[in-house]
Amino acid sequence: MSATARPAKALGIDLGTSGVRAAALAADGTLLDMAVFSFPNAAAGRSPSVWWAGVQSCLAELSARLPFKDIEGLAVDGTSGTVVALDASGEPVGDALMYNDPCPDLGIVEKIASEAPTNSPARGATSALARAIHLSRQPGVSKVVH
């Protein structure tokens, strides 16, 4: 897709399970241009450093085709429920636990089940809460984000 003479007013970045996509939009929402960075394999899709490389690649590609000087808004989304551990400086500690990964610690899952209401989304092996608690207990972890 090629850029038009219309200025980009918004930039959207999507980090998904298969790759990163970035889109530049006009003020009326018209798509002006788009860039895609596909992950080479499933393991790369779990790596925050590969995610960042994908974002950088998409932004470099778009900025080579259209100016960013008029951008007024930015939207970023990612795979719902995926959690990443960060150290005190904000750097990732290991790979992400994806939205559909079961919590590696059954004890955490059982403890949540004993406390949470029966219909709570916090229950179950793939709950984001269970995975976040597991990651928070790993060495060097300061916080968990999703």
Side-chain angles (χ1 to χ4, degrees):
M1 198 173 285
S2 63
T4 67
R6 297 171 68 190
K9 290 292 187 176
L11 186 64
I13 300 171
D14 173 53
L15 290 94
T17 55
S18 64
V20 177
R21 289 156 294 283
L25 305 172
D28 66 359
T30 301
L31 178 65
L32 298 176
D33 202 353
M34 189 170 163
V36 176
F37 177 94
S38 297
F39 299 141
N41 54 49
R46 296 175 175 278
S47 171
S49 64
V50 175
W51 299 347
W52 183 236
V55 169
Q56 290 175 311
S57 173
C58 288
L59 294 180
E61 186 178 330
L62 284 178
S63 67
R65 295 193 299 254
L66 59 100
F68 282 4
K69 67 180 180 60
D70 292 320
I71 291 177
E72 297 175 356
L74 173 68
V76 179
D77 83 359
T79 304
S80 174
T82 295
V83 289
V84 178
L86 303 177
D87 66 17
S89 66
E91 292 297 317
V93 178
D95 285 346
L97 284 176
M98 302 299 281
Y99 66 96
N100 59 349
D101 287 334
C103 175
D105 185 335
L106 187 56
I108 295 170
V109 175
E110 291 170 349
K111 180 63 176 170
I112 293 171
S114 74
E115 301 290 333
T118 304
N119 61 349
S120 172
R123 295 173 63 109
T126 59
S127 103
L129 176 61
R131 288 179 283 109
I133 292 170
H134 171 75
L135 286 179
S136 74
R137 295 178 175 174
Q138 304 310 301
V141 174
S142 175
K143 59 185 144 194
V144 176
V145 298
H146 74 90

